[in-house]
Amino acid sequence: MSTATTRPPEGRYGRSTDERADRKLKIAATVLGAVVLVVLGWFGYHYVVGNKISAEIITFKTYDDSVRVHLEVRKDSGTNGYCTVRSQAENGAEVGRADFRFDGAATRIDRVVTLRTTSQGTTAELLGCHSD
């Protein structure tokens, strides 16, 4: 009686190399996805919690050489900081940019500021606020 070596049918016992590669790709994608979520969460947390001063433009009015901007600023009590506002001409060129300071104990400030421009601006855009 001779015994011949026979191979089991393909895929019957254990995983094939393609299945192993697929599993490694799934693990790598899961790890990468988790890292991306952690990084986005970290940036989001620091943007919301770490940003102690924020503002929004309520209204603005343009003149030949300036833009009057009504800002509503919200900040932590005692936090000092500034907000940057810019204006652009109709063709998109920047015609004015300035930082406006907001100091003191007040937590909500309504202020009308004047942004000087090199020519008539058509916009008023809040670029952001930063605490000191």
Side-chain angles (χ1 to χ4, degrees):
M1 204 161 141
S2 111
T3 58
T5 320
T6 59
R7 292 180 23 192
E10 188 71 32
R12 181 179 239 178
Y13 302 103
R15 293 189 169 135
S16 69
T17 55
D18 287 342
E19 289 173 331
R20 285 189 200 106
D22 286 347
R23 186 168 191 268
K24 287 180 182 179
L25 284 174
K26 286 179 185 176
I27 290 171
T30 302
V31 169
L32 181 62
V35 168
V36 167
L37 283 175
V38 167
V39 169
L40 286 175
W42 186 80
F43 279 115
Y45 174 80
H46 285 284
Y47 179 77
V48 172
V49 175
N51 193 9
K52 297 179 181 180
I53 183 170
S54 64
E56 65 179 300
I57 293 177
I58 304 302
T59 62
F60 69 91
K61 182 160 178 60
T62 62
Y63 298 95
D64 289 339
D65 64 346
S66 65
V67 178
R68 290 181 54 101
V69 181
H70 177 189
L71 287 174
E72 181 181 291
V73 179
R74 291 166 305 283
K75 64 184 191 70
D76 292 346
S77 180
T79 297
N80 298 325
Y82 62 94
C83 295
T84 305
V85 178
R86 80 170 177 174
S87 181
Q88 293 177 304
E90 192 169 330
N91 66 1
E94 183 174 283
V95 294
R97 177 188 293 237
D99 293 334
F100 298 99
R101 292 214 45 91
F102 298 95
D103 299 330
T107 59
R108 185 177 174 276
I109 303 168
D110 275 320
R111 185 183 300 168
V112 176
V113 297
T114 301
L115 172 64
R116 299 284 177 206
T117 59
T118 56
S119 62
Q120 186 167 12
T122 59
T123 66
E125 179 182 2
L126 178 66
L127 297 179
C129 297
H130 305 280
S131 59
D132 294 335

